Amino acid sequence: MEVKGVAFLARQQMMVQSHGEAAWKAFIADIAKKEPFFSMPIMPVTRMPAEAFLHLNEELLARFYGNNKDAWWQFGIKSAEYALGQGQLKTMFAQGDLRRFLVFTPGIWKGYFTEGDLTVTPGQGHTDLSITHVPKPHVYFELSVMGFAHGGLTYLGAKNLKHQVLKGYSKGDKEVLYRFNVS
């Protein structure tokens, strides 16, 4: 499994905004000693080994967030806010396009990751999102992707937004299944 460079660049932008460019550069210099992949320039189309990308995110968590995995959920929320507010999704969705946004999320998965599947199953009063077939299941994928869905729904005006974790890497499962209830 590979992760596309756009995911790295999004993380870089977020970290520079929240912690400053000097902190980001020092972090990358340190991580490049452990993961030589990060010593070269990364472009949006660069393909990163998933293991290196996950190691980068684990190190970010340790260095900047006290190993609090909730930060990965927040990464997802912030990514959705950026994508819908000023990024590539800005003109695609209007306030209230909740189901349309959720149905679109598998395309977002494919935009970042070369393997695994994100599927959407609309139901009565809810929508299920599942992540399957990921060769290297990791809590990062669960929290950042489901955080993105939550953040997007909130940005688009969801009221009374709730989610249930029916299955998750965070619970020791081999796949992820979240149920989003929106109105």
Side-chain angles (χ1 to χ4, degrees):
M1 177 176 190
E2 295 174 315
V3 178
K4 296 175 186 173
V6 68
F8 171 85
L9 296 173
R11 189 68 59 244
Q12 174 180 304
Q13 180 181 13
M14 186 181 301
M15 296 304 296
V16 167
Q17 286 176 344
S18 59
H19 298 284
E21 190 164 351
W24 172 255
K25 285 182 177 180
F27 171 75
I28 284 298
D30 289 345
I31 193 77
K33 293 173 189 169
K34 300 173 188 173
E35 288 288 347
F37 184 86
F38 294 108
S39 62
M40 64 180 157
I42 297 175
M43 308 300 290
V45 295
T46 301
R47 302 265 178 133
M48 297 175 282
E51 294 80 11
F53 183 73
L54 292 170
H55 187 209
L56 171 99
N57 279 282
E58 289 167 350
E59 293 288 327
L60 275 174
L61 211 62
R63 188 168 193 159
F64 296 103
Y65 300 98
N67 284 317
N68 181 353
K69 291 183 177 153
D70 291 339
W72 288 335
W73 182 269
Q74 293 303 315
F75 288 179
I77 289 173
K78 292 293 182 196
S79 294
E81 290 170 354
Y82 176 83
L84 290 163
Q86 54 189 322
Q88 71 274 23
L89 303 180
K90 181 178 181 178
T91 60
M92 293 182 66
F93 301 98
Q95 285 295 302
D97 281 347
L98 307 177
R99 287 220 188 235
R100 190 168 162 264
F101 169 75
L102 287 173
V103 169
F104 182 77
T105 56
I108 297 169
W109 175 274
K110 294 295 182 195
Y112 286 92
F113 311 114
T114 61
E115 293 183 56
D117 294 304
L118 175 65
T119 55
V120 177
T121 308
Q124 196 68 10
H126 68 271
T127 302
D128 291 346
L129 271 66
S130 62
I131 300 172
T132 56
H133 307 112
V134 175
K136 178 150 176 79
H138 193 281
V139 176
Y140 168 83
F141 296 124
E142 172 185 348
L143 297 180
S144 66
V145 170
M146 296 303 167
F148 185 94
H150 189 275
L153 291 168
T154 301
Y155 187 88
L156 294 172
K159 306 281 187 255
N160 305 313
L161 177 59
K162 296 181 175 94
H163 71 273
Q164 296 170 277
V165 183
L166 303 175
K167 294 181 186 177
Y169 302 141
S170 59
K171 298 170 94 175
D173 298 315
K174 293 184 185 209
E175 58 188 36
V176 174
L177 177 59
Y178 276 49
R179 176 162 291 163
F180 287 90
N181 298 76
V182 297
S183 60

